[in-house]
Every structure is written in C-alpha cells, then in structure tokens.
Amino acid sequence: MTDPVVTTPYGRVRGSVREGVTRFLGIPYAAAPSGEARFRAPRPPEAWDGVRDALEFGPTAPSVPLPGSFLAEPVVEGPGCLNLNVWTPDPHAAGLPVLVWLHGGSNVTGSSAMPIYDGAAFARRGVVFVSVNYRLGAEGFALLPDAVANRALLDQVAALEWVRSGIAAFGGDPDAVTLFGTSAGAGATLAHVAMDRGLFRRAIVQSANARAALSASDALLVTGEIARAAGVEPTAAGFARVAPEKLAALSTAAVTDLTADLDPARWGATTVTAAQPFLPVVDGEVLAEPPFDVVVRGGGVDLLIGTNADELLALAGASLPDGVSHSDVRDLLGRLGLAVEAAPEGTTPVELYADVLTDALFRRPVVEIARARSAFVYEFAWPSPLPGVGAAHGLELGFVFGNLGLSALEGPEPPRELADRVQAAWVAFAATGDPGWPRHGENGGVFVFRA
C-alpha cells in the first residue's frame, strides 16, 4: 500500500497507516521558537517543497518531569516543538468532526507523544483527532516586560488556526472542531473559551482548576524568582542567555521554593493557585480578564465540563506528613482561606484535606460555570483499586482515549466497558453537541461515570 500523502497549508506530508487508521506525526504548525524568536509570538513555519515525512513524533518542549508522575513522559529532542499530530479514519473523507487535544502537566511538562494520548481509538469512531505540542514553563508562561505574554496560549491559537485552514485535507470539518484538554490543558481550554476567537465550536474541560490564572504582579513575582536562580535579569533578553533545558530545570527548582510557603500576604488573591505558578496571565492584551470571569458570563461555545470524584486524594496522601491530624489539616486549609466546619464521621485527615481542596478548586467552579452556560456536566467516579487513590486526578485519561493499561493508577484490570461509554460520550458531544444526558438544570445535574 502506498503511504498516504496530504497537502497541508505549508506543504505536503506523508503519513502511515496502522490497523486501519491513518496518522501524520510531527507536522509543524509554527516556526521553531528559537534564536531571536524564542520569546516571541509564534510565526508561520517556512513552506517546504516536495513531500515531508510525518512518520515520527516531533520535538517536545523542554521540560522537567513532575515527581511521582503516573504517566510515561517521552522526550523528543530538537528545537521545533511547535508541532502537531493528526489521526484520521480516512483522509479522503469530508465533514468529519474534529477533536483537538491540549495535554496537561501543570504547564511545565507533558507531551503529545505520550502513548496514552494516541488518537487511533477516536479515529475508529469516525473522528479526526489532533494533538498539539506547545511551549511550557518559563518559555511559554513567564511574564517578561520585553516579550509578548501568554506565549503558550498563542501557540495553541496558531495550532487552531492551522486546523481551521488545513484539517479538511484530512477529512475533517473546520466548522465542527471541539477543543479539549485535561488539568493544565483544560485550564488552557477555558482560556480559549474566554478569548473566543471563533476557532472551535465546542469544548470539553476535564478536571480544570477553573479559577487558576495569575495577575500580572504575581506573574512578575515568579519571573523574579527564576531570574534570581538563573543569575540573569528578569527579562526576555536575560532569559535568552540561559539554554532552554537549563531554564526549565532552574524554573522548576525556583518555583518549588517559592510555592513552599503559601502566604496570603505574599500571594494576595491567587494564594490557592500559587502551587501552580505557570498559568495564563491576565496581561490586559491576550487575556483582558481572568478566564473564569469571562466564561461564567456565557458565550457561544458549548461546554462539556467535569471533574473526577477524588481529584486530590492521591496527591494529598503523598504530600501530607505521616501522623497529620484533623487539627493540622484545618490549620493548613485555614491558611489558604478555606474553612472546615465539620468532617464527616470516619473521614481521615488526608481525605478531609483532599475533599475540601477538591471542592474549592474543582467542583464549585464547575457548578458555577454549568449554571451560567447550561453546560453538560460529568463526574468520573470509578475508583482505582489501588489504596489511597480513589477516582484521582488524571485517572479518566485512559478511559477517554480508550487506551487502558498505560496508567499506573488504573490497577490490573480497568473496565473496558466503562472506557467505551466515556469515549462514546465524548465523540457524541463532538459530533452532535449532545453527550447523551441532560444539560445542567434540565431535569439533571451531573452525569456520573461508574463501572
């Protein structure tokens, strides 16, 4: 069989067919952010002559793996990290729904090359699936006085513009694009809903810390800490003197120290988000307001949004010291401005801490958004058989993608039937705008996924 060739906005690419699905990997949607372009807004890539092989994943952004990550994080070396991948059931088709994926990883790590993000199962259900790499950490998010803000969001805009102009060649409908992501990728998805540039029709938001955004003053605090650690000026010119890989490592170390003490006097209104210091920044240009504030005012993009039942249980168990008491937890939560009236009988200190934070960061913001926009709401409630995990943050990924057995959190026999139901709902929403249950407030509230 001849390898498929498709014409993209900048040149022809050669893909490959595997088990009936055609895939094109590592296609540049913007020029490499290197040299003088390192801290600038993304620019179009140079067009190429002939046919370019799109058979391997493209370079990933410099990053530092998160401690205790439950997913393999492959790193592909090279400067051209602004690339994307396409899986399609048939590049000769027309009008297929399109799903565009933004990976998570606290905006400091992650990659579209992670095996769990393989889009073949979506393609087999009649969807054109696109996954995107974008700048991470200081490269993508640090606020610098001599550089454009929110470079990672602008990278994602460039990818969506590529989809708008080029996805028809892969069988997709540019007017039926659904943007979706998890964790930091879900936060970015909400930012794009707020920006509303008309590049997608629907959005799926999985486990977003929906209020997470930094003010310019707090973002500059992060920039200053990184600059001190690197021994350079807190500017793009200063940061450009540090190699990207070294800047990623220095940034992670610097902000770990910075966020160890979540002092309200230091962090103001963004205290609770300080533990994730690389976030969209309300800079007055790319983002005029916090995305959450814009999203709850309504808009044209239809939403499917939800959380996992025990988002922070595994993280709380790993981060709290042995022997922590209910009183210790109340004091810690109080420092974050979160009051605890009474713990349900039998709740452990770790469970109390995780539940209160999950409610504040995930559940309550989702309810506010759902009420304002008549969104479809879900909860992923299947608990991992592993102790102290529950329905943890990120556990839904294998079920959404239909790629079970790749997450250490799933245990030995995750239920395939549940994965089929979850993925079918995502595909139905992308194709029709209806995942299969009522909108929030229409004779229903939250659809719960259980085995």
Side-chain angles (χ1 to χ4, degrees):
M1 178 183 290
T2 303
D3 289 335
V5 174
V6 163
T7 301
T8 78
Y10 301 102
R12 291 184 294 165
V13 292
R14 177 182 292 106
S16 60
V17 179
R18 180 179 294 181
E19 297 179 353
V21 171
T22 304
R23 63 179 194 168
F24 300 83
L25 307 179
I27 305 172
Y29 64 84
S34 55
E36 293 185 356
R38 183 171 167 191
F39 294 101
R40 293 183 180 177
R43 302 163 300 138
E46 290 188 12
W48 58 88
D49 296 323
V51 179
R52 178 183 183 131
D53 282 342
L55 307 176
E56 304 289 341
F57 287 105
T60 53
S63 64
V64 176
L66 293 174
S69 176
F70 58 91
L71 294 173
E73 297 178 1
V75 174
V76 182
E77 301 290 344
C81 66
L82 302 186
N83 58 75
L84 53 76
N85 317 293
V86 181
W87 283 258
T88 177
D90 182 2
H92 302 296
L96 299 177
V98 181
L99 279 166
V100 178
W101 173 251
L102 302 179
H103 67 76
S106 295
N107 290 322
V108 299
T109 192
S111 163
S112 66
M114 289 183 178
I116 203 167
Y117 300 149
D118 186 290
F122 278 121
R124 291 190 188 97
R125 290 179 179 268
V127 172
V128 177
F129 175 83
V130 181
S131 59
V132 179
N133 281 338
Y134 49 90
R135 280 175 280 189
L136 300 170
E139 306 281 337
F141 291 92
L143 183 60
L144 303 164
D146 52 342
V148 65
N150 293 301
R151 294 172 296 280
L153 294 183
L154 295 178
D155 294 344
Q156 295 158 8
V157 168
L160 287 165
E161 289 173 339
W162 185 98
V163 169
R164 163 68 68 177
S165 61
I167 204 63
F170 297 84
D173 181 352
D175 293 319
V177 174
T178 297
L179 181 65
F180 76 133
T182 191
S183 193
T189 298
L190 279 178
H192 290 293
V193 171
M195 292 159 67
D196 195 14
R197 299 194 179 199
L199 295 172
F200 55 96
R201 184 174 180 179
R202 303 181 179 105
I204 304 173
V205 179
Q206 299 170 208
S207 298
N209 180 353
R211 293 183 179 274
L214 290 183
S215 66
S217 58
D218 280 351
L220 288 173
L221 177 63
V222 174
T223 298
E225 289 292 320
I226 297 169
R228 277 189 283 276
V232 298
E233 300 82 12
T235 62
F239 280 23
R241 289 160 44 198
V242 185
E245 293 76 13
K246 184 176 181 181
L247 184 62
L250 285 171
S251 299
T252 301
V255 299
T256 297
D257 293 340
L258 178 67
T259 60
D261 182 13
L262 303 184
D263 182 355
R266 188 180 199 185
W267 283 95
T270 56
T271 302
V272 177
T273 65
Q276 189 183 339
F278 291 117
L279 293 167
V281 179
V282 183
D283 65 306
E285 294 183 14
V286 178
L287 288 178
E289 300 177 67
F292 179 85
D293 295 351
V294 179
V295 170
V296 295
R297 289 205 297 266
V301 174
D302 211 0
L303 285 181
L304 168 59
I305 186 169
T307 67
N308 293 356
D310 307 299
E311 292 281 1
L312 299 179
L313 182 59
L315 178 62
S319 61
L320 292 177
D322 293 338
V324 67
S325 68
H326 284 87
S327 178
D328 295 332
V329 166
R330 287 189 177 90
D331 289 344
L332 179 57
L333 292 169
R335 293 180 61 208
L336 299 176
L338 302 174
V340 182
E341 295 182 0
E345 186 175 352
T347 302
T348 68
V350 169
E351 290 168 342
L352 174 63
Y353 180 75
D355 192 61
V356 172
L357 274 183
T358 295
D359 192 57
L361 300 183
F362 296 91
R363 295 192 199 105
R364 275 186 276 162
V366 163
V367 170
E368 289 186 57
I369 291 172
R371 286 173 177 167
R373 301 183 70 104
S374 297
F376 296 98
V377 184
Y378 76 90
E379 181 183 67
F380 184 83
W382 178 76
S384 166
L386 304 180
V389 173
H393 190 68
L395 183 61
E396 88 287 357
L397 288 172
F399 296 84
V400 168
F401 280 82
N403 296 326
L404 297 177
L406 298 174
S407 167
L409 298 181
E410 292 172 0
E413 296 181 358
R416 171 58 61 181
E417 184 273 336
L418 178 58
D420 291 341
R421 283 193 283 127
V422 173
Q423 190 173 67
W426 267 229
V427 169
F429 179 74
T432 70
D434 183 355
W437 61 85
R439 294 175 182 272
H440 187 83
E442 294 181 358
N443 301 317
V446 179
F447 185 87
V448 181
F449 285 103
R450 296 188 176 93

